Amino acid sequence: MKAFLHRFHGQPLQAVEIKTPEARGSEVIVEVSHCGVCHSDLHAWQGKVDYGRRGVVVRPEPAQPIAMGHEIAGRIVALGPQARDARIGDAVIAYPWLGCGACSDCTGGRDNMCRNGPRSLGFAQHGGFAEQVVLPHPRYVFPLGDLDPALAATYACSGLTVRSAIRKIMPLAPDEPLLVIGAGGLGLQAVAMLRALDHERIIIADMSAEKRGAALAAGALDFLHLRGDGDIEHLADLAGGPIPAVLDFVNNGQTALLAFDALRKGGRMVQVGLFGGELAIPLYSLALKGISICGSITGTLEDLADVLRLAREGRLRPLPIETLPKSRVNLALARLAGGAVQGRLVLAEDALDDAAVDDDGLAGDHPRAG
Ligand SMILES: [Zn+2]
Ligand SMILES: [Zn+2]
């Protein structure tokens, strides 16, 4: 099968013919029809992590070239002899955050928290930038139903990540003010999800004033334009004082400090973004206010099931999706790196024929990472 492989950081992915998988044991093989292109792909492709004062670390390049892509919709094309409760031909969404499958976290549906080393699709094994992906068991595929596959593919990452983060600040009364930091794909998804869960009073913050329209359209009540000076006072004006909860989808030194300073007694801040850096806070205030600081990474099987249910019930407002032919994966990464994306970018299978043209046409203009 054809796959677009990440071999060297920041270099164009290469279209390569690799072995088509065969289903063994309880495995399910899904032919990928749609795959989202996500900031996590970008981070993996660029290979840099900002550890604050501990420095910027360049991660090793993949030991084996790998097909990234973890927001996968497609059709089941093969089942292992022990794969029950799944049918060939079914349209599904794949849960990509695989763990060992055997530890107490994995058997409890929290594969994303597996301590035995991640096996996630698109990171530890081939993901949706290939024609097919392998899931170890039917429990990792969810029926697509009548959802739009391009949109529903993104629920396997942005949807479930946001659902998981929101669980960590709930319960909250619907009229309690809460702050969402970052009006990109995740932040907008969070606003839509909070509204689907009947939360009303959402303030969203971003450094770019241009994000205001999309943020309000997603269902936020107020938009806070982050300027650096006076942000905390401006927020207090909008919220009427300190607030009970913050979801930070940027999570750098500045936004985390804003989150901490914004909280009232007993407040909770959930840090989701991977921009890195570090946070210095007065520990006296941490104790005195009884503040909880929590990290959150992707989500569980139940989170994905829950997001798909909300979408099917028509409660989850759809976010803008732009589709590109799969052969344009390098263009998609470049556009994401340049910040020129509204909502989510999704690769669709229907223009694989263009591959040769794109590989030639784009060879000279892939921006390097960093
Ligand atoms: Zn495990
Ligand atoms: Zn993602």
Side-chain angles (χ1 to χ4, degrees), residues 136-153:
H137 191 276
R139 71 172 178 270
Y140 299 107
V141 293
F142 292 78
L144 174 69
D146 54 6
L147 295 174
D148 168 11
L151 176 64

Side-chain angles (χ1 to χ4, degrees), residues 1-3 18-23 28-33 67-69 72 75-78 121 125-135 326:
M1 66 175 174
K2 188 174 188 178
I18 61 172
K19 191 170 178 294
T20 302
E22 285 169 28
V28 178
I29 295 185
V30 173
E31 189 162 79
V32 180
S33 66
M68 301 190 296
I72 298 161
R75 254 173 216 291
I76 297 177
V77 290
L121 296 184
Q125 51 185 316
H126 290 316
F129 296 172
E131 281 178 63
Q132 298 183 359
V133 293
V134 183
L135 282 308
K326 212 175 202 177

Side-chain angles (χ1 to χ4, degrees), residues 38 40 70-71 157:
C38 171
S40 312
H70 53 272
E71 302 181 350
C157 179

Side-chain angles (χ1 to χ4, degrees), residues 187-218:
L188 296 180
Q189 184 70 78
V191 173
M193 193 77 66
L194 284 161
R195 294 303 302 262
L197 296 166
D198 299 324
H199 198 87
E200 288 158 10
R201 202 151 165 220
I202 307 155
I203 301 165
I204 187 164
D206 200 283
M207 286 170 61
S208 164
E210 289 166 20
K211 303 266 177 79
R212 176 189 296 270
L216 299 183

Side-chain angles (χ1 to χ4, degrees), residues 99-103 106 114 116:
C100 70
C103 72
C106 288
C114 177
N116 295 332

Side-chain angles (χ1 to χ4, degrees), residues 65-121:
I66 189 158
M68 301 190 296
H70 53 272
E71 302 181 350
I72 298 161
R75 254 173 216 291
I76 297 177
V77 290
L79 294 169
Q82 279 104 49
R84 319 235 185 273
D85 304 323
R87 273 185 324 207
I88 289 178
D90 279 0
V92 293
I93 299 295
Y95 176 90
W97 311 110
L98 304 172
C100 70
C103 72
S104 59
D105 280 310
C106 288
T107 53
R110 299 176 300 278
D111 299 63
N112 60 317
M113 299 308 290
C114 177
R115 287 153 287 173
N116 295 332
R119 301 178 190 195
S120 302
L121 296 184

